[in-house]
Amino acid sequence: MRDNRSISRRAILATAGALPLLMATARWGQAEPLPLVNVTKDPSCGCCDGWATHLKAAGFPVRVVESADMGSLKQRLGVLAELASCHTAEVGGYVVEGHVPAAAIRRLLSERPEATGLAVPGMPAGSPGMDFPGVDPEPYEAFLFGQTTRSFGRFLGPREI
């Protein structure tokens, strides 16, 4: 015949012993807050505000600063002329040039590759911030750049294809 008190005591001790592990696992399972995206844009550009709105909707905190000297900023941050677009951002130690989708930025921050940053050259129709009513989106590419430049994904609108 079993002694119910000893089973209960064992169960309590086992649960108490597992509690710190369960609490640690619960903390690891919580999402880390997304880092601040510092966007620098030309004062006359409106599509940059649309891109910032896209990032905010994806959960990123965003700070926008206007500058009439975007060329110097891009040069200082290592943005190649062929990758340039209308705005430049800094997030999590990376440079983000142009209309890069929030999903690509999340992936960049998750994978943390050795690179300067991500770029979507030009202003592709349908990319975040360039998604105007009546304009058909076109496929475009995001590039990981630094020592070398390589594709980081193809997108249609904000989604990877």
Side-chain angles (χ1 to χ4, degrees):
M1 185 167 171
R2 288 188 171 188
D3 180 359
N4 287 337
R5 288 178 296 173
S6 64
I7 293 173
S8 296
R9 198 172 332 161
R10 278 192 213 130
I12 290 170
L13 290 173
T15 302
L19 191 57
L21 180 61
L22 291 172
M23 289 176 64
T25 302
R27 276 195 302 271
W28 289 334
Q30 292 174 353
E32 291 289 320
L34 293 170
L36 175 67
V37 180
N38 286 300
V39 180
T40 304
K41 71 178 205 73
D42 187 279
S44 63
C45 188
C47 65
C48 305
D49 294 325
W51 183 69
T53 299
H54 164 75
L55 293 181
K56 288 176 188 174
F60 283 95
V62 177
R63 185 182 77 138
V64 178
V65 175
E66 295 183 347
S67 172
D69 188 12
M70 293 297 296
S72 293
L73 174 72
K74 292 175 191 301
Q75 185 176 18
R76 180 174 59 80
L77 295 176
V79 177
L80 304 171
E82 60 268 19
L83 297 178
S85 185
C86 56
H87 55 265
T88 304
E90 297 171 79
V91 59
Y94 290 101
V95 176
V96 177
E97 178 69 14
H99 295 268
V100 177
I105 298 171
R106 281 180 182 267
R107 184 175 141 215
L108 174 74
L109 295 171
S110 171
E111 294 178 5
R112 309 263 342 139
E114 179 95 14
T116 301
L118 284 179
V120 169
M123 300 164 75
S127 62
M130 296 298 296
D131 45 355
F132 304 114
V135 175
D136 290 332
E138 60 186 39
Y140 61 95
E141 202 157 0
F143 295 94
L144 185 70
F145 68 96
Q147 294 285 340
T148 61
T149 300
R150 68 173 176 84
S151 177
F152 195 72
R154 289 186 48 79
F155 294 84
L156 185 63
R159 292 179 309 226
E160 192 164 6
I161 54 174

